[in-house]
Amino acid sequence: MVRFLKQALTGEKVDARYDSFTVKGFRLGRPPASTPPILIAALRPGMLRLAGREGDGAIINWLSAEDVASVVPYVGPGKEIVARIFVCPSDDADRVRAMGRFAVSAYLNVPVYADFHQWLGRGPVLKPMWDAWKAGDRKAATAAVPDEVVDDLIVHGTPEECRAHIDRYLANGVTTAALALVGAGNDTRKAIRDLAPRR
């Protein structure tokens, strides 16, 4: 798909047989003035290497600032690394952790994310959550998410603390931080202003 898109987005006519499909005579009606980069969503080594080899970079998700250092080398040097980073600008840690446990248990029980976090080394701390989820006890699974996992995966605190945490993602290899605001309530604009980098 990436090879097809790279050719199609130039405006050229595409006649090609790829590994899993064939295209005959496709030409984009209105090609962009300049070819946009193609980023591949990736979690573990195979897809991360594919993103670096075939794409212009990778989109990563549900990982800590420290995890970035383990992920980026698989993509390779000079590639774009976009990270979706969950941010809750609140210094009410108990509220954030309660909310975060629901999000973590919902996502990290999806097999691809479970495998990703096993690979990252979180298997032992997440096993009680996974066991409870498999047993059908969603309440126990949510309660079993450790505070430190929420603190690793959801940036929270004062705006200054949040900016410092986001800076750790950038220092470890993220080139574009795609912030996903959670729990900001009705004051999203204020949260965006508060989280904006200081010049």
Side-chain angles (χ1 to χ4, degrees):
M1 182 55 70
V2 173
R3 292 173 188 167
F4 162 70
L5 288 172
K6 280 189 167 185
Q7 188 174 355
L9 288 168
T10 66
E12 296 175 19
K13 183 178 178 183
V14 182
D15 273 306
R17 180 181 299 277
Y18 301 98
D19 292 344
S20 56
F21 63 96
T22 299
V23 177
K24 293 183 180 181
F26 176 86
R27 186 187 305 271
L28 196 59
R30 297 176 62 177
S34 59
T35 305
I38 297 174
L39 305 176
I40 298 172
L43 296 174
R44 291 185 292 148
M47 286 299 290
L48 292 164
R49 283 192 291 264
L50 176 72
R53 186 177 65 247
E54 298 285 346
D56 298 301
I59 301 169
I60 55 180
N61 188 22
W62 278 110
L63 75 173
S64 74
E66 289 66 35
D67 294 334
V68 172
S70 299
V71 166
V72 168
Y74 289 94
V75 183
K79 297 291 183 167
E80 181 81 4
I81 304 291
V82 176
R84 183 177 180 218
I85 303 170
F86 295 93
V87 182
C88 183
S90 169
D91 56 6
D92 184 347
D94 290 339
R95 182 180 75 85
V96 174
R97 288 171 180 152
M99 175 193 63
R101 277 192 277 279
F102 280 99
V104 168
S105 65
Y107 269 94
L108 301 195
N109 276 289
V110 173
V112 293
Y113 284 109
D115 291 345
F116 179 47
H117 283 271
Q118 283 275 18
W119 176 68
L120 289 172
R122 281 197 188 85
V125 297
L126 292 175
K127 187 176 186 315
M129 177 195 72
W130 289 327
D131 289 347
W133 190 273
K134 285 177 187 162
D137 191 340
R138 303 299 191 249
K139 187 175 180 181
T142 300
V145 176
D147 287 349
E148 62 266 24
V149 171
V150 176
D151 294 346
D152 281 348
L153 303 181
I154 299 178
V155 173
H156 62 95
T158 66
E160 293 75 20
E161 290 168 334
C162 289
R163 284 196 303 274
H165 194 155
I166 293 163
D167 284 345
R168 293 201 327 261
Y169 281 87
L170 300 173
N172 286 331
V174 168
T175 56
T176 302
L179 305 187
L181 285 176
V182 293
N186 295 324
D187 216 346
T188 301
R189 287 183 185 191
K190 180 180 185 310
I192 291 169
R193 283 192 301 271
D194 289 345
L195 292 169
R198 297 297 183 239
R199 305 234 181 248

